Amino acid sequence: MRHTHLSTTARLEAFSDGVIAVIITIMVLELKVPHQDGIAGLYAVIPTLAIYAVSFAFTGIYWINHHHLVHRTEEADELVLYANLFFLFCLSLLPFLTSYVLEKKMDSFSVALYTSSMVFTGFSFLLLRLAIARRLRLAGKLEIQDTSVQHKHLYSLLTYLVAIPVAFYHPHLALGLCAFVTIIWITPTAGVKPREEDAPFPRP
Amino acid sequence: MRHTHLSTTARLEAFSDGVIAVIITIMVLELKVPHQDGIAGLYAVIPTLAIYAVSFAFTGIYWINHHHLVHRTEEADELVLYANLFFLFCLSLLPFLTSYVLEKKMDSFSVALYTSSMVFTGFSFLLLRLAIARRLRLAGKLEIQDTSVQHKHLYSLLTYLVAIPVAFYHPHLALGLCAFVTIIWITPTAGVKPREEDAPFPRP
Amino acid sequence: MRHTHLSTTARLEAFSDGVIAVIITIMVLELKVPHQDGIAGLYAVIPTLAIYAVSFAFTGIYWINHHHLVHRTEEADELVLYANLFFLFCLSLLPFLTSYVLEKKMDSFSVALYTSSMVFTGFSFLLLRLAIARRLRLAGKLEIQDTSVQHKHLYSLLTYLVAIPVAFYHPHLALGLCAFVTIIWITPTAGVKPREEDAPFPRP
Amino acid sequence: MRHTHLSTTARLEAFSDGVIAVIITIMVLELKVPHQDGIAGLYAVIPTLAIYAVSFAFTGIYWINHHHLVHRTEEADELVLYANLFFLFCLSLLPFLTSYVLEKKMDSFSVALYTSSMVFTGFSFLLLRLAIARRLRLAGKLEIQDTSVQHKHLYSLLTYLVAIPVAFYHPHLALGLCAFVTIIWITPTAGVKPREEDAPFPRP
């Protein structure tokens, strides 16, 4: 009876995967077929495709980080479940804000809103990280400090914070900064690649 | 051949997770980009965002409760499967009723309908609870009585029942009551927190 | 190297659950908020809700049957995978045909088309059943003959076949026949209930 | 601490299944109910249904291949996760390009775009294949060379490449070539069927 409220993370992962899978995919419904025929239509749709790609990458990178974060703990308490729901809520606003930016033709305010939501989602992810750290502490486990990933989080957050004021002067540059964050994440960190290659045997 | 119709709850959980994940996420498609530019657009969209947040929290809390409820049994019979389908059907009306409230600009009738659906969904969840209790009884297992959660269910239901007549006099107050239910759930119950902290060892 | 093309059914189930979860839920997007205010709006939306309920029940019952069918085999070959895809394709037309019936205001042709699709989906489910029977045979396992479920399939199919010509004379009656099929499935078969209650011990 | 960045493929599969399930199903939202009543409406909708069927088959075949590909490795590194995201991104454009072809009434440019996206998605799948091959190499495992599947990939890619210029002269023929690729995949390869039937015992 004691641990009624603790549950394995299996279903938390399954539900989060489902929600993130829907978020990442329904954004494609915002892509509207252009009125122009031929190559002109393709040109017209390129900015839309570019923002869709940024939002897709943003969501995908969060999925990978969520994956690593939840992997650390084997059980979730109520606080972790609610922090996870709050994170998913913030992330679920992304398709809305993506279409906001598109319908407002990337004006300053809509791009600032889009960038602010990225800061906000980062903040909700930090809350989830803290809730999981608390759970690990209560379970008497050591929290893994993955400094290279934490640095990436910090740099991303700083870039988004810089992008907000930039949006009011040069919205395209602000979107470019958001796209640049993707490159931070895809770039392998110095420590990761060697760690794998000199691994004497694969993890079972 | 005897227990052909019994099945593990693994796939019941997976399917329910999928349906709830789609329900919780497609509501974001109801969020329409406002016509106004700049900060005025953001103001115009705030009531919409608030109702979306209430519906998201409502669905999310049901997911957590569904999670705990189904976790109690290891196998599902036909009755559990159909009760689960009926619960998912009731829950699936939420995106429709959320857009109902939004398009009717939160008039009394739409808010009363929205609140009634919350009572109705609560009723279908009770049926699922009874079907699972019957399964546990047939399997010779004791049903866990989690009184703090049952009290929360009772208070939620009473709040929704009060919100229905309130909707006809003051629809915004009725929606506020619905939002208040979320707080009931997020608040840790007196018994939960200590139970975890004095746990001598984590559950395997 | 021999059985490269055989795979466990775990991912087949996960993918099918995902597709069926999306099918069953996106139908709610077809529910349009009525123009009328107050109770008149609710009356106007009732036929729509009724057809949504029939389509939801139809999809849900297929999910339960799919669940039981796939459960019989532990591995899937290419034929099972393709038969499963074909079944999902037929089922995925249901949201389209549901909105077809709704937009055509339940005229004879649209209802006949809707009913035909139910026959067609039943046929694709039969193909999946045969593909799985072949797999079990190749694996040297006996196929379980669940006659009560097979009778339900037969009665359902016959009801749908009767409903097609009926649609041209009385479309509402044809839809009523489709709704009636749901009752066939929900009704516990004579053999099922006792089997559970006199079970000496629960299946591990 | 060494292999923090390696993770099992379970959640990669779950997430990919979710995304592919949504992609394959939301395409049905593009099917619009025709204005014509009766059989004329059905005739009007047949080309749409045909393209939907091609896109569904295309996505479904990728799901099967993804299933087999990811099955080879037990763990995924960052490169595999990002290559997988890129593949899902390419695949997620399919619903958009399907509606592109439909709204442009299958004109040459839209069909060429649709066919090009199939080549592009094939290319992203090749990258995922290479990322998984690298992972297997780092883990000291032998890569399975499934030549019959690799030949099918090659023939598919060649057919799509031929279909692009064909689209500018005869768009319907180009779509027919895309549909033909489905047949390549469904056709059992010479080596597969016997392999199963002379299997002395089923794989555990």
Side-chain angles (χ1 to χ4, degrees), chain C residues 35-79:
Chain C
H35 297 295
Q36 300 95 317
D37 286 329
I39 196 92
L42 186 61
Y43 279 133
V45 95
I46 279 177
T48 310
L49 275 177
I51 294 179
Y52 173 64
V54 171
S55 293
F56 193 100
F58 181 81
T59 314
I61 289 167
Y62 263 114
W63 175 72
I64 292 179
N65 285 315
H66 187 268
H67 182 96
H68 288 316
L69 179 60
V70 175
H71 199 70
R72 291 185 196 165
T73 177
E74 270 149 36
E75 48 195 16
D77 54 22
E78 296 285 289
L79 201 65

Short mmCIF file of all heavy atoms in Angstrom, two decimals, chain C residues 35-79:
data_model
loop_
_atom_site.label_atom_id
_atom_site.label_comp_id
_atom_site.label_asym_id
_atom_site.label_seq_id
_atom_site.Cartn_x
_atom_site.Cartn_y
_atom_site.Cartn_z
N HIS C 35 -24.82 26.01 -35.76
CA HIS C 35 -25.01 27.46 -35.78
C HIS C 35 -26.00 27.92 -34.72
O HIS C 35 -25.85 28.98 -34.15
CB HIS C 35 -25.50 27.89 -37.17
CG HIS C 35 -24.48 27.61 -38.23
ND1 HIS C 35 -23.26 28.24 -38.26
CD2 HIS C 35 -24.50 26.74 -39.27
CE1 HIS C 35 -22.55 27.78 -39.28
NE2 HIS C 35 -23.28 26.86 -39.91
N GLN C 36 -27.01 27.06 -34.46
CA GLN C 36 -28.03 27.44 -33.49
C GLN C 36 -27.45 27.56 -32.08
O GLN C 36 -26.57 26.79 -31.71
CB GLN C 36 -29.16 26.39 -33.45
CG GLN C 36 -29.88 26.18 -34.74
CD GLN C 36 -29.30 25.02 -35.53
OE1 GLN C 36 -28.07 24.86 -35.63
NE2 GLN C 36 -30.17 24.22 -36.11
N ASP C 37 -28.01 28.50 -31.31
CA ASP C 37 -27.59 28.62 -29.91
C ASP C 37 -28.49 27.77 -29.03
O ASP C 37 -29.56 27.32 -29.46
CB ASP C 37 -27.68 30.09 -29.46
CG ASP C 37 -26.55 30.91 -30.07
OD1 ASP C 37 -25.47 30.33 -30.29
OD2 ASP C 37 -26.77 32.10 -30.34
N GLY C 38 -28.05 27.58 -27.80
CA GLY C 38 -28.87 26.92 -26.78
C GLY C 38 -29.21 25.48 -27.14
O GLY C 38 -28.49 24.80 -27.87
N ILE C 39 -30.34 25.02 -26.61
CA ILE C 39 -30.75 23.64 -26.73
C ILE C 39 -30.99 23.24 -28.18
O ILE C 39 -30.78 22.08 -28.58
CB ILE C 39 -32.00 23.38 -25.84
CG1 ILE C 39 -32.23 21.88 -25.62
CG2 ILE C 39 -33.26 24.04 -26.41
CD1 ILE C 39 -31.57 21.38 -24.37
N ALA C 40 -31.40 24.21 -29.03
CA ALA C 40 -31.64 23.94 -30.46
C ALA C 40 -30.35 23.44 -31.12
O ALA C 40 -30.38 22.55 -31.98
CB ALA C 40 -32.15 25.19 -31.16
N GLY C 41 -29.22 24.00 -30.69
CA GLY C 41 -27.93 23.57 -31.23
C GLY C 41 -27.65 22.12 -30.87
O GLY C 41 -27.17 21.34 -31.69
N LEU C 42 -28.00 21.77 -29.63
CA LEU C 42 -27.77 20.40 -29.18
C LEU C 42 -28.62 19.41 -29.98
O LEU C 42 -28.13 18.38 -30.45
CB LEU C 42 -28.08 20.26 -27.69
CG LEU C 42 -27.74 18.92 -27.05
CD1 LEU C 42 -26.25 18.63 -27.14
CD2 LEU C 42 -28.16 18.87 -25.58
N TYR C 43 -29.91 19.78 -30.21
CA TYR C 43 -30.78 18.93 -31.02
C TYR C 43 -30.20 18.73 -32.43
O TYR C 43 -30.17 17.64 -32.96
CB TYR C 43 -32.19 19.53 -31.14
CG TYR C 43 -33.06 19.24 -29.94
CD1 TYR C 43 -33.80 20.25 -29.33
CD2 TYR C 43 -33.14 17.94 -29.40
CE1 TYR C 43 -34.60 19.99 -28.22
CE2 TYR C 43 -33.92 17.68 -28.29
CZ TYR C 43 -34.65 18.70 -27.70
OH TYR C 43 -35.42 18.43 -26.61
N ALA C 44 -29.70 19.86 -32.98
CA ALA C 44 -29.18 19.82 -34.36
C ALA C 44 -28.00 18.87 -34.47
O ALA C 44 -27.74 18.29 -35.53
CB ALA C 44 -28.79 21.23 -34.80
N VAL C 45 -27.24 18.71 -33.36
CA VAL C 45 -25.98 17.98 -33.42
C VAL C 45 -26.18 16.49 -33.06
O VAL C 45 -25.27 15.67 -33.26
CB VAL C 45 -24.94 18.68 -32.52
CG1 VAL C 45 -24.87 18.07 -31.14
CG2 VAL C 45 -23.59 18.72 -33.19
N ILE C 46 -27.39 16.14 -32.58
CA ILE C 46 -27.61 14.76 -32.13
C ILE C 46 -27.42 13.71 -33.23
O ILE C 46 -26.74 12.70 -32.99
CB ILE C 46 -28.98 14.64 -31.40
CG1 ILE C 46 -28.81 15.14 -29.96
CG2 ILE C 46 -29.49 13.19 -31.39
CD1 ILE C 46 -30.08 15.14 -29.13
N PRO C 47 -27.96 13.89 -34.46
CA PRO C 47 -27.71 12.85 -35.49
C PRO C 47 -26.22 12.66 -35.74
O PRO C 47 -25.73 11.54 -35.86
CB PRO C 47 -28.40 13.40 -36.74
CG PRO C 47 -29.32 14.47 -36.27
CD PRO C 47 -28.78 15.00 -34.99
N THR C 48 -25.49 13.78 -35.77
CA THR C 48 -24.04 13.72 -35.96
C THR C 48 -23.39 12.91 -34.84
O THR C 48 -22.56 12.03 -35.09
CB THR C 48 -23.47 15.16 -35.93
OG1 THR C 48 -24.24 15.96 -36.82
CG2 THR C 48 -22.03 15.19 -36.32
N LEU C 49 -23.79 13.22 -33.62
CA LEU C 49 -23.23 12.49 -32.48
C LEU C 49 -23.56 11.01 -32.57
O LEU C 49 -22.72 10.16 -32.24
CB LEU C 49 -23.80 13.05 -31.17
CG LEU C 49 -23.09 14.26 -30.59
CD1 LEU C 49 -23.81 14.74 -29.33
CD2 LEU C 49 -21.65 13.90 -30.25
N ALA C 50 -24.77 10.68 -33.03
CA ALA C 50 -25.18 9.28 -33.13
C ALA C 50 -24.30 8.53 -34.12
O ALA C 50 -23.84 7.41 -33.85
CB ALA C 50 -26.65 9.19 -33.53
N ILE C 51 -24.04 9.14 -35.30
CA ILE C 51 -23.19 8.46 -36.29
C ILE C 51 -21.74 8.37 -35.79
O ILE C 51 -21.06 7.36 -35.98
CB ILE C 51 -23.24 9.20 -37.66
CG1 ILE C 51 -24.66 9.08 -38.21
CG2 ILE C 51 -22.24 8.60 -38.63
CD1 ILE C 51 -24.84 9.76 -39.52
N TYR C 52 -21.30 9.43 -35.11
CA TYR C 52 -19.96 9.37 -34.52
C TYR C 52 -19.87 8.20 -33.54
O TYR C 52 -18.89 7.44 -33.54
CB TYR C 52 -19.64 10.70 -33.81
CG TYR C 52 -18.35 10.67 -33.02
CD1 TYR C 52 -17.14 10.50 -33.66
CD2 TYR C 52 -18.35 10.82 -31.64
CE1 TYR C 52 -15.96 10.47 -32.95
CE2 TYR C 52 -17.18 10.79 -30.92
CZ TYR C 52 -15.97 10.61 -31.57
OH TYR C 52 -14.81 10.56 -30.87
N ALA C 53 -20.93 8.04 -32.72
CA ALA C 53 -20.96 6.94 -31.74
C ALA C 53 -20.90 5.58 -32.45
O ALA C 53 -20.18 4.68 -32.02
CB ALA C 53 -22.19 7.04 -30.86
N VAL C 54 -21.67 5.43 -33.56
CA VAL C 54 -21.65 4.16 -34.31
C VAL C 54 -20.26 3.90 -34.86
O VAL C 54 -19.71 2.79 -34.73
CB VAL C 54 -22.70 4.17 -35.45
CG1 VAL C 54 -22.52 2.96 -36.36
CG2 VAL C 54 -24.12 4.19 -34.88
N SER C 55 -19.63 4.92 -35.47
CA SER C 55 -18.28 4.74 -36.04
C SER C 55 -17.26 4.44 -34.95
O SER C 55 -16.36 3.61 -35.13
CB SER C 55 -17.86 6.00 -36.80
OG SER C 55 -18.67 6.18 -37.94
N PHE C 56 -17.41 5.12 -33.81
CA PHE C 56 -16.50 4.88 -32.69
C PHE C 56 -16.63 3.45 -32.19
O PHE C 56 -15.63 2.74 -32.01
CB PHE C 56 -16.82 5.86 -31.55
CG PHE C 56 -15.77 5.92 -30.46
CD1 PHE C 56 -14.85 6.95 -30.44
CD2 PHE C 56 -15.71 4.96 -29.47
CE1 PHE C 56 -13.89 7.02 -29.44
CE2 PHE C 56 -14.75 5.02 -28.47
CZ PHE C 56 -13.83 6.05 -28.46
N ALA C 57 -17.89 2.99 -32.03
CA ALA C 57 -18.13 1.62 -31.55
C ALA C 57 -17.58 0.61 -32.55
O ALA C 57 -16.93 -0.37 -32.18
CB ALA C 57 -19.62 1.40 -31.32
N PHE C 58 -17.83 0.86 -33.86
CA PHE C 58 -17.35 -0.02 -34.92
C PHE C 58 -15.82 -0.16 -34.85
O PHE C 58 -15.29 -1.28 -34.84
CB PHE C 58 -17.77 0.58 -36.27
CG PHE C 58 -17.36 -0.23 -37.47
CD1 PHE C 58 -18.10 -1.33 -37.86
CD2 PHE C 58 -16.26 0.13 -38.22
CE1 PHE C 58 -17.74 -2.08 -38.98
CE2 PHE C 58 -15.89 -0.61 -39.33
CZ PHE C 58 -16.63 -1.71 -39.71
N THR C 59 -15.12 0.98 -34.75
CA THR C 59 -13.66 0.95 -34.68
C THR C 59 -13.19 0.29 -33.38
O THR C 59 -12.25 -0.52 -33.40
CB THR C 59 -13.10 2.39 -34.76
OG1 THR C 59 -13.75 3.08 -35.82
CG2 THR C 59 -11.61 2.39 -35.02
N GLY C 60 -13.86 0.62 -32.28
CA GLY C 60 -13.48 0.05 -30.99
C GLY C 60 -13.63 -1.46 -30.96
O GLY C 60 -12.76 -2.18 -30.44
N ILE C 61 -14.73 -1.96 -31.55
CA ILE C 61 -14.96 -3.41 -31.58
C ILE C 61 -13.89 -4.08 -32.44
O ILE C 61 -13.37 -5.14 -32.10
CB ILE C 61 -16.38 -3.73 -32.08
CG1 ILE C 61 -17.39 -3.34 -31.00
CG2 ILE C 61 -16.53 -5.20 -32.45
CD1 ILE C 61 -18.82 -3.31 -31.47
N TYR C 62 -13.51 -3.42 -33.56
CA TYR C 62 -12.43 -3.98 -34.37
C TYR C 62 -11.12 -4.00 -33.59
O TYR C 62 -10.33 -4.93 -33.72
CB TYR C 62 -12.25 -3.22 -35.68
CG TYR C 62 -12.97 -3.93 -36.79
CD1 TYR C 62 -14.05 -3.35 -37.42
CD2 TYR C 62 -12.59 -5.21 -37.18
CE1 TYR C 62 -14.73 -4.02 -38.41
CE2 TYR C 62 -13.26 -5.88 -38.16
CZ TYR C 62 -14.33 -5.29 -38.77
OH TYR C 62 -15.00 -5.96 -39.74
N TRP C 63 -10.89 -2.96 -32.79
CA TRP C 63 -9.66 -2.96 -32.01
C TRP C 63 -9.64 -4.18 -31.07
O TRP C 63 -8.64 -4.90 -31.00
CB TRP C 63 -9.49 -1.67 -31.20
CG TRP C 63 -8.29 -1.77 -30.31
CD1 TRP C 63 -6.98 -1.74 -30.71
CD2 TRP C 63 -8.28 -2.01 -28.92
NE1 TRP C 63 -6.16 -1.93 -29.63
CE2 TRP C 63 -6.92 -2.10 -28.51
CE3 TRP C 63 -9.28 -2.14 -27.95
CZ2 TRP C 63 -6.55 -2.33 -27.20
CZ3 TRP C 63 -8.91 -2.37 -26.63
CH2 TRP C 63 -7.55 -2.46 -26.27
N ILE C 64 -10.76 -4.43 -30.38
CA ILE C 64 -10.83 -5.57 -29.47
C ILE C 64 -10.60 -6.89 -30.22
O ILE C 64 -9.82 -7.75 -29.80
CB ILE C 64 -12.18 -5.60 -28.72
CG1 ILE C 64 -12.26 -4.40 -27.76
CG2 ILE C 64 -12.37 -6.90 -27.94
CD1 ILE C 64 -13.56 -4.30 -26.98
N ASN C 65 -11.23 -7.03 -31.39
CA ASN C 65 -11.07 -8.27 -32.17
C ASN C 65 -9.65 -8.42 -32.71
O ASN C 65 -9.10 -9.51 -32.74
CB ASN C 65 -12.08 -8.30 -33.32
CG ASN C 65 -13.48 -8.60 -32.82
OD1 ASN C 65 -13.66 -9.50 -32.01
ND2 ASN C 65 -14.46 -7.83 -33.27
N HIS C 66 -9.07 -7.29 -33.15
CA HIS C 66 -7.70 -7.28 -33.64
C HIS C 66 -6.75 -7.73 -32.52
O HIS C 66 -5.87 -8.57 -32.73
CB HIS C 66 -7.36 -5.86 -34.09
CG HIS C 66 -6.04 -5.73 -34.77
ND1 HIS C 66 -4.90 -5.42 -34.09
CD2 HIS C 66 -5.68 -5.90 -36.06
CE1 HIS C 66 -3.88 -5.38 -34.94
NE2 HIS C 66 -4.33 -5.66 -36.15
N HIS C 67 -7.00 -7.17 -31.36
CA HIS C 67 -6.30 -7.52 -30.13
C HIS C 67 -6.30 -9.04 -29.89
O HIS C 67 -5.25 -9.65 -29.71
CB HIS C 67 -7.06 -6.80 -29.01
CG HIS C 67 -6.52 -6.94 -27.64
ND1 HIS C 67 -5.68 -6.01 -27.08
CD2 HIS C 67 -6.73 -7.89 -26.71
CE1 HIS C 67 -5.39 -6.40 -25.86
NE2 HIS C 67 -6.01 -7.53 -25.59
N HIS C 68 -7.49 -9.65 -29.95
CA HIS C 68 -7.59 -11.09 -29.70
C HIS C 68 -6.94 -11.89 -30.83
O HIS C 68 -6.29 -12.90 -30.59
CB HIS C 68 -9.06 -11.52 -29.58
CG HIS C 68 -9.69 -11.05 -28.30
ND1 HIS C 68 -9.06 -11.15 -27.09
CD2 HIS C 68 -10.90 -10.48 -28.04
CE1 HIS C 68 -9.84 -10.66 -26.14
NE2 HIS C 68 -10.97 -10.24 -26.68
N LEU C 69 -7.13 -11.42 -32.07
CA LEU C 69 -6.62 -12.16 -33.23
C LEU C 69 -5.09 -12.20 -33.23
O LEU C 69 -4.48 -13.28 -33.35
CB LEU C 69 -7.15 -11.52 -34.52
CG LEU C 69 -6.68 -12.16 -35.83
CD1 LEU C 69 -7.12 -13.62 -35.88
CD2 LEU C 69 -7.22 -11.40 -37.03
N VAL C 70 -4.47 -11.03 -33.09
CA VAL C 70 -3.01 -10.94 -33.18
C VAL C 70 -2.36 -11.64 -31.98
O VAL C 70 -1.27 -12.20 -32.08
CB VAL C 70 -2.55 -9.47 -33.28
CG1 VAL C 70 -1.04 -9.35 -33.23
CG2 VAL C 70 -3.09 -8.85 -34.56
N HIS C 71 -3.09 -11.65 -30.87
CA HIS C 71 -2.61 -12.29 -29.64
C HIS C 71 -2.31 -13.78 -29.85
O HIS C 71 -1.52 -14.36 -29.11
CB HIS C 71 -3.69 -12.13 -28.57
CG HIS C 71 -3.18 -12.32 -27.19
ND1 HIS C 71 -2.34 -11.41 -26.58
CD2 HIS C 71 -3.38 -13.31 -26.29
CE1 HIS C 71 -2.06 -11.85 -25.38
NE2 HIS C 71 -2.67 -12.99 -25.16
N ARG C 72 -2.97 -14.40 -30.85
CA ARG C 72 -2.83 -15.85 -31.04
C ARG C 72 -1.46 -16.26 -31.53
O ARG C 72 -0.99 -17.36 -31.29
CB ARG C 72 -3.85 -16.33 -32.09
CG ARG C 72 -5.25 -16.24 -31.57
CD ARG C 72 -6.19 -16.83 -32.59
NE ARG C 72 -7.53 -16.41 -32.27
CZ ARG C 72 -8.55 -16.50 -33.10
NH1 ARG C 72 -8.36 -17.00 -34.32
NH2 ARG C 72 -9.73 -16.10 -32.76
N THR C 73 -0.83 -15.35 -32.31
CA THR C 73 0.46 -15.69 -32.88
C THR C 73 1.55 -14.89 -32.17
O THR C 73 1.29 -13.80 -31.67
CB THR C 73 0.50 -15.42 -34.40
OG1 THR C 73 1.80 -15.72 -34.88
CG2 THR C 73 0.17 -13.98 -34.73
N GLU C 74 2.73 -15.45 -32.11
CA GLU C 74 3.82 -14.73 -31.47
C GLU C 74 4.74 -14.08 -32.49
O GLU C 74 5.54 -13.24 -32.15
CB GLU C 74 4.64 -15.69 -30.59
CG GLU C 74 4.12 -15.75 -29.18
CD GLU C 74 4.37 -17.10 -28.57
OE1 GLU C 74 5.42 -17.69 -28.86
OE2 GLU C 74 3.50 -17.58 -27.82
N GLU C 75 4.58 -14.49 -33.75
CA GLU C 75 5.43 -13.88 -34.75
C GLU C 75 4.64 -13.61 -36.02
O GLU C 75 3.65 -14.28 -36.31
CB GLU C 75 6.66 -14.75 -35.04
CG GLU C 75 6.33 -16.18 -35.28
CD GLU C 75 7.56 -17.06 -35.21
OE1 GLU C 75 8.60 -16.63 -34.70
OE2 GLU C 75 7.48 -18.19 -35.70
N ALA C 76 5.09 -12.59 -36.72
CA ALA C 76 4.39 -12.17 -37.92
C ALA C 76 5.32 -12.30 -39.11
O ALA C 76 6.49 -11.96 -39.01
CB ALA C 76 3.94 -10.72 -37.76
N ASP C 77 4.81 -12.81 -40.23
CA ASP C 77 5.61 -12.82 -41.45
C ASP C 77 5.15 -11.67 -42.35
O ASP C 77 4.25 -10.91 -42.01
CB ASP C 77 5.53 -14.18 -42.16
CG ASP C 77 4.10 -14.61 -42.40
OD1 ASP C 77 3.21 -13.74 -42.42
OD2 ASP C 77 3.86 -15.82 -42.57
N GLU C 78 5.78 -11.57 -43.50
CA GLU C 78 5.47 -10.47 -44.42
C GLU C 78 3.98 -10.45 -44.78
O GLU C 78 3.37 -9.39 -44.84
CB GLU C 78 6.27 -10.61 -45.73
CG GLU C 78 7.76 -10.49 -45.56
CD GLU C 78 8.21 -9.06 -45.33
OE1 GLU C 78 8.15 -8.26 -46.27
OE2 GLU C 78 8.61 -8.75 -44.18
N LEU C 79 3.41 -11.64 -45.00
CA LEU C 79 2.01 -11.71 -45.41
C LEU C 79 1.11 -11.14 -44.32
O LEU C 79 0.15 -10.39 -44.62
CB LEU C 79 1.63 -13.17 -45.69
CG LEU C 79 0.41 -13.35 -46.59
CD1 LEU C 79 0.67 -12.82 -47.98
CD2 LEU C 79 -0.01 -14.81 -46.64
#
